[in-house]
Amino acid sequence: MAFDSDIAEIARRLLDMPEPMPDAGDLVADFQIAELDGRPPVPAAVLIALIRRGSGYTVLYTERSNSLRNHSGQVAFPGGRIDPEDQDAAYAALREANEEVALDPADADILGFMPYYYTGTNYFITPVVAVVDPKRPFIANPGEVDDVFEVPVETLIDDASYGKFRVHHRGQERRSWQIDHEGHRIWGITANLTRRFRDSVLVGEAEHAEP
């Protein structure tokens, strides 16, 4: 895949603006985990960073610190809540990436946005896609991230890279995609978003497959 020549096509497959949040009653979660008790959804943003390397493009992931209260030890995209002072989802995603792995926002070129992803933990996530030409190494913030790693785009495009992850919660089976890469296991929200990115953005399929 001559990926440099495909960046413009990838940008055309993305939204120019983040999707607005629908009425809470119209949101359908990927998998209901907690009782929400009428709490409003929490706006959040993640950065799907296409890292330009000499050998080709990779996608950036983090392994969350084991000391964190939520989702400790799990693989995630850089990201987090959109704070009231954040200008928009792109600003929030780049801010979080800077805090978590020292990604310089000046090294990133925002290509666009993917459709929102609503989680069973009540997060309304806007995936922000950017090309990043890093001028310095990424450094994991030990308070938030135990490790930072990259997966080649060719690996993510390959359908054979995707398995299925199953876990039971409150008598229900939860399924997600699963990607194993060099000792890291990507599953849950991050794997599902990766698969959507693969299907609709990297490959350009009209519909994405379900786990």
Side-chain angles (χ1 to χ4, degrees), residues 68-203:
L68 293 175
R69 183 175 61 181
N70 296 321
H71 306 293
S72 61
Q74 293 183 15
V75 171
F77 291 114
R81 295 185 184 215
I82 300 176
D83 292 338
E85 58 269 24
D86 290 329
Q87 299 170 12
D88 54 22
Y91 183 95
L94 291 175
R95 173 183 56 75
E96 288 282 351
N98 178 258
E99 293 173 2
E100 292 177 3
V101 300
L103 185 153
D104 187 346
D107 293 342
D109 181 17
I110 302 296
L111 297 179
F113 306 87
M114 288 173 56
Y116 72 80
Y117 189 103
Y118 180 55
T119 76
T121 50
N122 206 30
Y123 282 87
F124 181 90
I125 299 175
T126 296
V128 182
V129 181
V131 170
V132 178
D133 192 1
K135 305 300 189 298
R136 61 191 184 192
F138 300 123
I139 301 173
N141 177 345
E144 299 186 48
V145 173
D146 280 346
D147 195 11
V148 54
F149 65 99
E150 299 169 32
V151 181
V153 163
E154 288 79 4
T155 299
L156 299 181
I157 289 175
D158 186 357
D159 191 60
S161 299
Y162 296 82
K164 296 181 180 180
F165 183 91
R166 291 178 171 85
V167 64
H168 287 84
H169 179 81
R170 295 183 178 179
Q172 300 181 61
E173 183 183 69
R174 179 187 182 188
R175 295 184 298 170
S176 79
W177 292 107
Q178 175 180 309
I179 307 156
D180 291 307
H181 180 74
E182 296 184 352
H184 297 282
R185 172 157 292 177
I186 307 169
W187 63 279
I189 294 166
T190 305
N192 289 345
L193 277 175
T194 298
R195 182 68 192 213
R196 291 187 181 190
F197 178 63
R198 181 260 181 205
D199 290 352
S200 63
V201 180
L202 295 178
V203 178

Side-chain angles (χ1 to χ4, degrees), residues 10-27:
I10 282 174
R12 283 192 288 270
R13 294 169 183 163
L14 295 167
L15 303 172
D16 294 332
M17 299 288 292
E19 287 187 323
M21 187 185 296
D23 292 336
D26 295 330
L27 289 168

